[in-house]
């Protein structure tokens, strides 16, 4: 069989719309909301002519495909390439790109390492770090919320929390860019990220080794399982690699998008300032509305059917989480940033056995930061138009120039 964009080309199933859009084009990546709306309006699934695969963006189908790990597997890759048919760019992730029962065992190690109890011990550190950073930024007054804040906070607190001895910001950000852009087709964004090449990969692989982990951080919990004989050294290294792959770009993007939300909605920022109890929900609402991980694929493991549409074995399905999270049949006034909204059920952190294993850590970081912002900042003004950064799987900003006004 000849491959098409790294997977088995399928014909359009009966009864669905065929669409010539490129979801990985610059225009769509820079401003995906029109794509989200059209995707949902075209039916439960669409056939992407350009990639000979399916996409879904309505809440019901996206949730169904995403959470059914038996019919729609992750082991064949969560990008457009089918790992069963083509060799991936790096050894597959032992949690993201694997199915139960192996997934269950590996994930359990991370679940324990990132337990709510372990994370709650870190919260004071996150809050102190957020306060310190904001005090510095308030002095500067005019800042770029991406380069000076969103990219800085996680790259300070995450390596410290995990216990990484020698990692630096550009390595972490560069690797994240490779991991997420690799999920798309062989386009300019994937190529540009991959150009960072072996030097970044080598530094990341080195960082995962036991000698480069301190005994204070969360990653030590993973290496403890080597000492107790539960897992081998190699698996431990791969689990640490997952933390480095998934832990930085995601939170950088979430923080940038959150600042963008409060900048566009000063009345919502005031609500948060007046009632700090709203901080947690404001973070959820920004996750729902901006869905930093915009889309992941699944691959059908059998011939099956969803919402009356026949899906043949080996079909790649692009599950557009950002579209599901703005489905007007589920969310009233879906593009409104409303910090009092009921956000339960959003799919920004996934759903099913693969849902974000680092979510407690991510939330602890982001809520600490928003609380500091709400305590210290009177208002935020825009200095220049935000600039978005095209990425094959993420929705993130490149630049967000703002002026900070200190609380009087
Ligand atoms: C959720 C996620 C994103 C990217 C990479 C990984 C996981 C990984 O396990 O490598």
């Amino acid at each position: 069989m000849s491959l098409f964009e790294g997977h088995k080309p399928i014909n359009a199933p009966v009864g669905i719309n065929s669409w010539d859009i490129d979801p990985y084009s610059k225009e769509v990546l820079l401003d995906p909301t029109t794509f989200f709306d059209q995707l949902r309006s075209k039916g439960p699934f669409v056939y992407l002519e350009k990639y000979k695969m399916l996409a879904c963006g309505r809440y019901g189908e996206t949730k169904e495909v995403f959470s059914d790990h038996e019919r729609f597997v992750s082991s064949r890759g969560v990008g457009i390439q089918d790992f069963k048919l083509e060799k991936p760019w790096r050894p597959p992730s032992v949690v993201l790109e694997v199915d139960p029962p192996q997934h269950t065992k590996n994930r359990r190690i991370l679940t324990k390492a990132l337990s709510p109890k372990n994370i709650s011990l870190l919260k004071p550190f996150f809050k102190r770090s957020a306060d310190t950073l904001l005090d510095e930024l308030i002095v500067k007054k005019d800042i770029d919320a991406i380069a000076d804040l969103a990219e800085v906070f996680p790259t300070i607190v995450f390596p410290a929390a995990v216990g990484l001895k020698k990692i630096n910001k550009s390595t972490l950000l560069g690797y994240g860019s490779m991991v997420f852009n690799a999920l798309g087709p062989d386009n300019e964004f994937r190529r540009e990220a991959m150009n960072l090449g072996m030097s970044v990969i080598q530094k990341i692989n080195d960082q995962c080794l036991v000698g480069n982990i301190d005994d204070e951080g969360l990653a030590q919990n993973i290496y403890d399982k080597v000492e107790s004989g539960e897992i081998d050294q190699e698996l431990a290294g791969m689990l640490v690699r997952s933390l480095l792959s998934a832990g930085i770009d995601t939170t950088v993007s979430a923080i940038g998008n959150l600042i963008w939300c409060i900048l566009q909605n000063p009345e919502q920022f005031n609500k948060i300032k007046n009632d700090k109890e709203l901080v947690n929900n404001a973070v959820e609402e920004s996750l729902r509305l901006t869905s930093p991980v915009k889309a992941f694929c699944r691959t059908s493991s059998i011939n099956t059917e969803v919402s009356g549409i026949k899906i043949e074995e080996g079909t790649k399905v692009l599950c557009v989480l950002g579209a599901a999270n703005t489905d007007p049949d589920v969310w009233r006034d879906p593009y409104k940033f409303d910090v009092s909204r009921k956000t339960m059920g959003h799919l920004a952190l996934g759903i099913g056995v693969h849902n974000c294993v680092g979510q407690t850590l991510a939330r602890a970081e982001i809520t600490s930061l928003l609380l500091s912002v709400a305590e210290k900042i009177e208002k935020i003004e825009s200095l220049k138009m935000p600039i978005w950064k095209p990425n094959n799987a993420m929705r993130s900003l490149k630049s967000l120039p703002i002026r900070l006004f200190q609380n009087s």
Side-chain angles (χ1 to χ4, degrees), residues 90 93 95-96 179-180 242 245-246 296:
R90 60 171 194 164
S93 162
V95 279
L96 177 73
V179 167
F180 284 93
S242 280
S245 305
F296 273 170

Side-chain angles (χ1 to χ4, degrees), residues 78 90 92-97 110 175 179-180 183 238-239 241-247 250 293 296 354 356:
V78 300
R90 60 171 194 164
S93 162
V94 295
V95 279
L96 177 73
E97 293 153 341
L110 289 185
Y175 192 67
V179 167
F180 284 93
L183 301 176
M238 287 295 282
L239 289 165
R241 195 194 72 174
S242 280
L243 300 183
L244 305 184
S245 305
T250 46
V293 176
F296 273 170
H354 287 281
C356 178

Side-chain angles (χ1 to χ4, degrees), residues 91-107:
S93 162
V94 295
V95 279
L96 177 73
E97 293 153 341
V98 65
D99 302 320
Q102 198 54 51
H103 169 265
T104 318
K105 290 187 195 157
N106 296 348
R107 176 170 167 125

